[in-house]
Amino acid sequence: MNRRSMFSRIFSINIVSMLICIIILGSTETVLMTKYVANQSEEYLSKNAETIRNMIENNISSDSLTSLVSGFAHAVGCYIIVFDSQNKVVSCSAKSPFLDNPPMFVNGEYTKTVLSGQKNSLIGTMGGLFKEVMFTLQMPIKDTSGQTVGAVSMSRPIPEHQKMKYDILKVLLLSMGLILVFLLLMTYFTASKISVPIKKISEATKAFAKGNFSVRVDDATLYSGVDEVAELADAFNNMAHEIEKAEEIKNTFISDVSHELRTPMTTIGGFVSGILDDTIPPEKQKDYLKIVYDEVARLSRLVNSFLDITRLQSDKLTLKPVNFDINEVIRIVLIGLEQKLEDRNISVELNLDEENCYVNADRDSITRVVTNLLDNAAKFTNDNGKITVSVTQSQHDTFISIKNTGCGISDEQKQMIFKRFYKADKSRSLNKGGTGIGLYLVKNILSAHGKDITVNSVEGEYAEFVFSLDKGKYKRRAIESAEKRINDINNE
């Protein structure tokens, strides 16, 4: 496929456009100047033709007419013919270089207009009457009744007429030539200003495609003076920056996942091998099998997390909203974390508006949200710290807040913590485990419910995650009906 650069396209299009404009302008100017020169010649000859016509209409004698015509022809530098309504020459200038012999008749093809009573002008030889092209003005002659009885024809050599046009055209062409050179230079610099930055962006894109994620478009392109090009360059740099960060996060994730998988698999392999070769005595095999079971469960949770990510990315996460008690889910998750919390002497405070708080959502996925947030809070809470879980209600929504003391989250990390595979700075985490997908799943599960999650934090003090769910419609009527029956029984 034949490809052309942007520079050549812009340059050629501008050049063709300029040439077309110059041709149109030149043609228009030529026509206008021709009309102008013709009008000037016509105006000059008209005054003399009217003088001759007036004298003829005042019945000048034939001899006087001949002298008059010759005198005017000599003074004006033209050839004059006076002819009647039958195209017969009544009088004409003396012998002239413009024609071989004085004519006896004028070709009727060129006199129809003037003999109809209208002034007429034409350019040509009048059917071969003259030896060269002439500019001819014809003026009708009328009698006292207004009837056209003849005409005066004054012919002037066209070179005088053309010379003026050529002089004007030369000036016009010279001006157009200078304009063309100026426009060519302007087009060259304009096209370069646009094409060179775009070429740099193209080169940077190719380098990026080959795996050089550190490549960026330079400042000269960013400040090229063309807003669209600068926006494109800035968008490329932003994209490159985000992809480079994502690549770093992905590489860290692969390393962490490898470690997460290797540790339980090594443990499982070692204990199973010890049981098979009787290195582990029979009375302790049950304890070690329990450890193997826990490690298998850990691997299963890890694999399920990856499957959840795949479902979220392919929009195949199926939600089955039901009414359930969110307070119950929170208590169950906390019971599962009890040992971890006790080991580090972390206290838990529950602030619940009511004993039971029903919400309408997918129970399994919301359980995953609560588990991930509480596990994350336990991981980053300082020893002897505190986790506070609050559940409040409004008219339509239930708000769940999970707050923990500890290192908190910096403003920079707030922008990143919900990204896939992102992990907070390990040096600040009390537990270096994790794959960086927990909060990513939380964010996307809530988004699938049409909800959002916010982060409030003061670095070095606390971190708080707040999300909302639709209020559930639990069987309040059934409870009231049961209470009414109990009251009726007691009253009896």
Side-chain angles (χ1 to χ4, degrees), residues 140-160:
I141 300 172
K142 299 181 181 181
D143 58 15
T144 55
S145 63
Q147 189 74 22
T148 301
V149 294
V152 177
S153 174
M154 301 185 72
S155 301
R156 192 177 186 183
I158 201 64
E160 294 294 328

Side-chain angles (χ1 to χ4, degrees), residues 264-314:
M265 289 177 68
T266 301
T267 303
I268 293 169
F271 289 160
V272 171
S273 177
I275 292 172
L276 290 176
D277 61 15
D278 295 326
T279 302
I280 299 175
E283 64 272 14
K284 292 186 177 181
Q285 287 182 2
K286 187 174 181 180
D287 294 333
Y288 285 100
L289 284 175
K290 176 64 171 61
I291 297 174
V292 169
Y293 177 82
D294 291 340
E295 293 298 323
V296 170
R298 179 181 169 190
L299 286 173
S300 178
R301 288 193 299 272
L302 191 61
V303 171
N304 286 335
S305 295
F306 295 150
L307 290 175
D308 287 339
I309 288 178
T310 303
R311 294 190 190 101
L312 287 169
Q313 290 178 331
S314 60

Side-chain angles (χ1 to χ4, degrees), residues 7 10-23 25 175-192:
F7 175 82
I10 294 176
F11 192 75
S12 58
I13 289 173
N14 283 357
I15 293 303
V16 171
S17 301
M18 285 187 291
L19 288 175
I20 292 174
C21 291
I22 287 174
I23 290 172
L25 180 62
S175 301
M176 288 182 176
L178 294 174
I179 293 172
L180 180 60
V181 171
F182 174 75
L183 291 177
L184 285 174
L185 293 174
M186 290 297 296
T187 301
Y188 177 82
F189 288 117
T190 302
S192 298

